[in-house]
Amino acid sequence: MKLQRKSMLRASALGALVVSGALVLTACGSDDNSKTGDGTTKPSAAAAGDIKCDGAKGKLLASGSSAQKNAVDLWVKNYMAACSGVEVNYKSSSSGEGIVAFNQGTVGFAGSDSALKPEQVEESKKICTGGQGINLPMVGGPIALGFNIAGVDKLNLDAPTIANIFNDKIKKWDDEAIKKLNPGVTLPSTAIQHFHRSEDSGTTENLGKYLKATAGDAWPHEAAKKWPAPGGLGASGSSGVATQVKQVDGSIGYFELSYATSQNIKTVDLNTGAAAPVKATGENASKAIAAAKIAGTGSDLALKLDYTTKAEGAYPIVLVTYEVVCDKGNKPETLPTVKSFLNYTASDAGQKILLENGYAPIPAEINAKVREVVNSLG
């Protein structure tokens, strides 16, 4: 999915090639005061100057979460502009596929929108010689509920109503429950078509955690990467769900805010019990993520999010994407590049890119710990 970004970055050009289903970004010269072929602003010399290559070389393979794809695209462009001779290849698929690849030893790190399960940690010990897989929170952001209803530009929903829509209990947009939340809005009798992820997804799991915590009996399902509710149609990746919502009148689906931004898809304002419904923005997601607590132990920095917050301006349908790495036992040939790249993504410059593009930076106190752990990787 292509990203329309508002950026304060200026200058040198890089192009993007998709090779064998994986994202491979390669440098291709300089072109001042212009845009890349995908519409993003080119990385600046200043941004490149903030990156320490520290012996990085060769090719680094990574895969996983599509939620962080747009952020990783930007990071890779800047990183490869600074570190010549290094190729970072991130295959955007799903959190589940990323963790499988990590535990098979085929990638240097994986992106996952949910922390490793105990059995996945145990499995990682076969790959992380003398160590194990750990979770490093790197990307935060709102899970937007995008909608496409002809003639409707603004839509407020609360957790029970969202649950009943995705549970196939509310079937038309002029249902009384929706009308009650949207006084003064003319809602059509159009049938609701809801879309969900077809593959295992951390985005699905995080939406499920929110609904489980806030929707009461309206959402009887346990949070899981696999979509649990009846009805609806599946689509591949956040990009696939967003594309369907963009094309189908009467539709609603869930995906990271950057996908809504890039396709000009309207998003639901969330009635959380605060004084006013809360918009899905990076700033509002940051307010919710700021209340997160570290639940992991040792080098593991898995977070516990508060999905029930009613704080003013806090958007609670959020996810945190983790970079999953070995604390010890990383492959010697890729370890310098893993540490160098993740040091950049966790830097102030790397995190600033997130807020500029619809994501939410990791809170500074937690991010400082991420940098400490990255430097300690062995």
Side-chain angles (χ1 to χ4, degrees):
M1 184 56 55
K2 298 183 179 176
L3 175 67
Q4 296 175 341
R5 60 175 298 216
K6 294 186 289 183
S7 175
M8 297 174 66
L9 305 175
R10 297 171 307 187
S12 63
L14 292 175
L17 297 174
V18 177
V19 178
S20 302
L23 176 69
V24 181
L25 297 174
T26 52
C28 58
S30 174
D31 183 9
D32 289 345
N33 299 317
S34 62
K35 299 281 185 179
T36 62
D38 62 5
T40 59
T41 305
K42 294 174 176 141
S44 68
D50 292 335
I51 297 169
K52 296 179 174 60
C53 302
D54 290 335
K57 60 183 179 180
K59 180 184 290 187
L60 172 62
L61 300 179
S63 69
S65 164
S66 65
Q68 68 171 1
K69 174 190 181 298
N70 292 328
V72 174
D73 286 4
L74 297 167
W75 281 334
V76 169
K77 284 180 181 180
N78 284 351
Y79 182 78
M80 290 178 59
C83 299
S84 60
V86 181
E87 182 181 287
V88 179
N89 179 320
Y90 182 78
K91 180 181 179 181
S92 171
S93 51
S94 69
S95 298
E97 292 175 72
I99 290 172
V100 168
F102 177 77
N103 279 339
Q104 290 176 341
T106 60
V107 294
F109 70 88
S112 176
D113 305 328
S114 57
L116 293 168
K117 301 289 191 294
E119 61 270 21
Q120 292 170 331
V121 173
E122 193 62 31
E123 187 178 357
S124 74
K125 293 178 181 178
K126 300 174 186 177
I127 298 300
C128 305
T129 307
Q132 65 182 43
I134 58 172
N135 306 282
L136 300 179
M138 199 68 71
V139 182
I143 299 173
L145 294 165
F147 69 92
N148 179 358
I149 311 169
V152 177
D153 294 324
K154 183 177 175 58
L155 185 67
N156 298 328
L157 294 176
D158 61 11
T161 308
I162 294 166
N164 283 325
I165 288 172
F166 282 100
N167 250 339
D168 239 11
K169 297 290 180 64
I170 294 178
K171 297 181 179 294
K172 293 189 179 250
W173 282 112
D174 62 351
D175 187 277
E176 287 301 320
I178 301 176
K179 288 167 69 174
K180 185 177 179 180
L181 293 166
N182 295 274
V185 177
T186 301
L187 293 162
S189 60
T190 308
I192 296 173
Q193 178 63 70
H194 51 91
F195 290 93
H196 57 263
R197 292 282 290 274
S198 59
E199 76 284 11
D200 287 2
S201 162
T203 311
T204 295
E205 185 172 18
N206 279 279
L207 176 62
K209 288 178 179 178
Y210 167 75
L211 292 174
K212 186 68 175 176
T214 58
D217 294 341
W219 193 256
H221 315 288
E222 294 300 321
K225 287 186 172 69
K226 183 177 179 62
W227 180 252
L233 293 173
S236 179
S238 291
S239 60
V241 175
T243 297
Q244 291 299 319
V245 172
K246 178 72 173 178
Q247 294 174 348
V248 177
D249 181 32
S251 62
I252 186 170
Y254 60 92
F255 33 80
E256 295 68 42
L257 180 62
S258 62
Y259 291 91
T261 302
S262 65
Q263 293 206 46
N264 294 316
I265 297 171
K266 301 177 185 72
T267 61
V268 168
D269 292 349
L270 201 61
N271 188 330
T272 64
V278 184
K279 293 186 178 300
T281 68
E283 292 88 345
N284 290 345
S286 287
K287 292 176 184 177
I289 295 172
K293 307 295 183 185
I294 294 177
T297 58
S299 297
D300 187 276
L301 300 179
L303 301 179
K304 181 176 178 59
L305 298 168
D306 179 10
Y307 295 99
T308 64
T309 180
K310 296 180 181 179
E312 297 301 324
Y315 184 88
I317 314 182
V318 295
L319 60 75
V320 170
T321 298
Y322 300 94
E323 311 311 336
V324 176
V325 295
C326 296
D327 57 356
K328 303 296 178 187
N330 290 279
K331 293 179 181 178
E333 61 269 28
T334 57
L335 178 59
T337 308
V338 169
K339 293 176 72 171
S340 170
F341 181 69
L342 295 184
N343 260 319
Y344 166 57
T345 64
S347 69
D348 290 342
Q351 290 290 298
K352 181 182 178 185
I353 284 174
L354 299 180
L355 193 56
E356 293 172 350
N357 291 279
Y359 292 97
I362 300 301
E365 182 179 350
I366 295 172
N367 199 43
K369 294 179 180 179
V370 171
R371 291 194 291 265
E372 289 179 10
V373 173
V374 170
N375 287 325
S376 74
L377 298 179

